[in-house]
Amino acid sequence: MTLTTSSPEAAILGIGTALPVHSISQQDVADLIASSLTDSPDLARFARRIFKSCGVETRFTCDSSFLGSPEECRYLPSGDPSNVPTTRERMNKYQQEALPLGAIAAGKALKDAGISPDRITHLITVSCTGQYLPGLDVMLIRQLGLPPRVNRLPLIFQGCAAGLKAIQMARDVVKGAPGAWVLVVCVELCTLHFQPVKERETLFAASFFGDGASACIIGSPEARHNPYLSLGSGCSVLLPDSVEDMTWEVGDTGYDLFLSPSIPKLLATHLQEELDILLEKGQLPELWAIHPGGRGIVDSVQNVLNLSDEQTRYSREILRDAGNLSSVTIMFVLNAMRLDMITREQTLTKGVAMAFGPGLTAELMRFTYVPANSPPFKEQDHGLF
């Protein structure tokens, strides 16, 4: 999609992130998995190897049962698996925990942007790990004191790419409706879908997903402003021959996730061509906000684009310290990048954000870090990358 030169600038003016109070080390999760596989020692050894090499050290969960003994964890039981939580129980827990976590992230984003709740015109809520009605959008309006006539756009069951998809949707809203202020809130409680491991393929997903929430405010910056991220053109593309490589289906004991080990190879095959189209074969930017869907995905992107370790540092640090938070994660990466730019007193700096989800879908977007009180920024006025 080409944005017209007459449309207003759209930018991320504030970001908020939140993690549950319960943290769990990667070693402890590996021990839980291994204790549930006493009758499958080969699979237990494979689990420990995968958990050790996936780039995660700590994750967060909304359910304290992961912190107890293996006998107390119903999600990964060491004994009789008949008491594993049903999907209904997991959805009840989601309904209990999603709102407070999302409200914390949203409140931080509003404060960071200096925007009062009554100025919000659009609310985009994102989640693929739980559903209920009236949904998270309605509950956030009540919790945050948003206007009752706010335009609600729930984006559900779209996987890891949905956070960046929501940002691009919000950008288009601001471009098409001058004066709009969009609040995007992502909440994912991935650990609610942990369940007994039956085969190797399920271990990949269990090795790096965690819980969290993120939010951002997207609008048009004023003449005097804090540092922000100006949102440029972007696209969403389905990669060929990859429909079966990432699936997310509702089961009787939670959602069943399958991640093919060939995903990094697929990205390596197709990503360069898509970036050439996005950047019109221009110069590669300095900043890279890569959704850390796993260590292999970040490795693949780094190798294909010949990026430095410094350019992938933000993604790897989020993966290490919190795991893959599905749709939530891209805002964690963008926030870490923005805060670092502020600390370093960085000048105008261009970047690309990317996230991947079922389909196999790639969300790609150009952005620019703009320092405080800089002149109004227009992507087309500064040339291509």
Side-chain angles (χ1 to χ4, degrees):
M1 172 181 169
T2 300
L3 301 173
T4 64
T5 57
S6 60
S7 59
E9 181 185 4
I12 295 178
L13 303 175
I15 303 177
T17 62
L19 293 166
V21 296
H22 308 300
S23 65
I24 181 169
S25 73
Q26 185 74 338
Q27 182 61 55
D28 287 343
V29 182
D31 289 344
L32 280 174
I33 290 280
S35 69
S36 69
L37 294 171
T38 53
D39 58 343
S40 303
D42 290 343
L43 192 55
R45 284 191 293 271
F46 181 76
R48 290 191 181 278
R49 187 164 69 250
I50 290 295
F51 276 57
K52 187 175 181 179
S53 64
C54 72
V56 177
E57 294 181 6
T58 305
R59 283 185 272 178
F60 292 80
T61 176
C62 65
D63 197 318
S64 61
S65 70
F66 284 101
L67 305 175
S69 66
E71 293 76 23
E72 296 173 315
C73 183
R74 294 178 61 204
Y75 296 89
L76 299 168
S78 59
D80 181 9
S82 63
N83 195 35
V84 171
T86 64
T87 300
R88 172 175 226 152
E89 288 179 278
R90 296 168 197 256
M91 290 301 95
N92 288 340
K93 185 68 172 177
Y94 176 91
Q95 187 170 355
Q96 175 186 341
E97 301 290 344
L99 175 60
L101 198 63
I104 291 172
K108 289 180 179 179
L110 288 163
K111 182 178 180 180
D112 188 37
I115 299 296
S116 61
D118 61 355
R119 295 184 66 186
I120 298 299
T121 60
H122 296 72
L123 171 63
I124 303 178
T125 49
V126 183
S127 189
C128 69
T129 50
Q131 299 180 40
Y132 63 95
L133 288 174
L136 184 62
D137 53 341
V138 173
M139 298 301 129
L140 282 170
I141 289 173
R142 297 174 58 190
Q143 183 82 6
L144 300 172
L146 303 181
R149 291 183 178 84
V150 68
N151 195 333
R152 293 176 285 125
L153 303 167
L155 187 61
I156 61 173
F157 223 61
Q158 296 293 304
C160 295
L164 188 52
K165 165 62 74 178
I167 290 173
Q168 298 212 68
M169 289 171 60
R171 174 205 59 206
D172 292 347
V173 167
V174 172
K175 292 277 187 181
W181 295 94
V182 187
L183 170 59
V184 178
V185 182
C186 304
V187 182
E188 302 291 7
L189 305 182
C190 304
T191 65
L192 293 183
H193 298 285
F194 280 25
Q195 41 194 301
V197 175
K198 301 182 181 70
E199 51 194 14
R200 287 192 173 198
E201 287 77 7
T202 59
L203 284 170
F204 291 106
S207 67
F208 48 69
F209 279 100
D211 300 351
S214 61
C216 67
I217 303 295
I218 298 176
S220 296
E222 299 173 345
R224 296 191 61 81
H225 57 77
N226 294 324
Y228 65 82
L229 300 177
S230 183
L231 304 180
S233 56
C235 65
S236 175
V237 59
L238 283 174
L239 303 183
D241 303 320
S242 58
V243 172
E244 303 299 328
D245 288 285
M246 186 185 299
T247 61
W248 188 227
E249 299 175 342
V250 179
D252 293 334
T253 55
Y255 297 168
D256 299 323
L257 175 62
F258 169 75
L259 297 176
S260 167
S262 66
I263 290 174
K265 182 179 179 180
L266 284 165
L267 294 177
T269 301
H270 301 290
L271 187 59
Q272 183 66 64
E273 178 183 358
E274 297 304 327
L275 282 169
D276 285 344
I277 295 172
L278 178 73
L279 304 177
E280 300 184 29
K281 297 186 177 180
Q283 182 180 355
L284 293 181
E286 179 179 343
L287 300 176
W288 292 88
I290 304 164
H291 167 70
R295 180 178 177 179
I297 287 179
V298 181
D299 288 346
S300 180
V301 174
Q302 180 170 357
N303 292 336
V304 167
L305 302 177
N306 196 28
L307 303 180
S308 67
D309 290 342
E310 176 65 20
Q311 288 174 302
T312 61
R313 173 172 62 88
Y314 307 102
S315 299
R316 294 191 189 277
E317 288 179 353
I318 297 301
L319 182 65
R320 179 194 67 201
D321 297 338
N324 178 354
L325 308 173
S326 191
S327 68
V328 169
T329 329
I330 192 64
M331 278 189 251
F332 270 74
V333 176
L334 288 169
N335 192 43
M337 185 176 289
R338 181 192 62 145
L339 293 175
D340 190 36
M341 296 293 102
I342 294 172
T343 299
R344 292 161 50 187
E345 298 183 350
Q346 189 79 5
T347 57
L348 206 72
T349 310
K350 296 178 181 180
V352 165
M354 61 180 68
F356 313 101
L360 190 63
T361 301
E363 290 286 334
L364 306 171
M365 183 191 71
R366 294 155 57 149
F367 70 91
T368 302
Y369 169 76
V370 180
N373 299 323
S374 299
F377 178 82
K378 290 284 188 179
E379 183 183 37
Q380 61 271 14
D381 294 339
H382 292 264
L384 298 173
F385 298 166

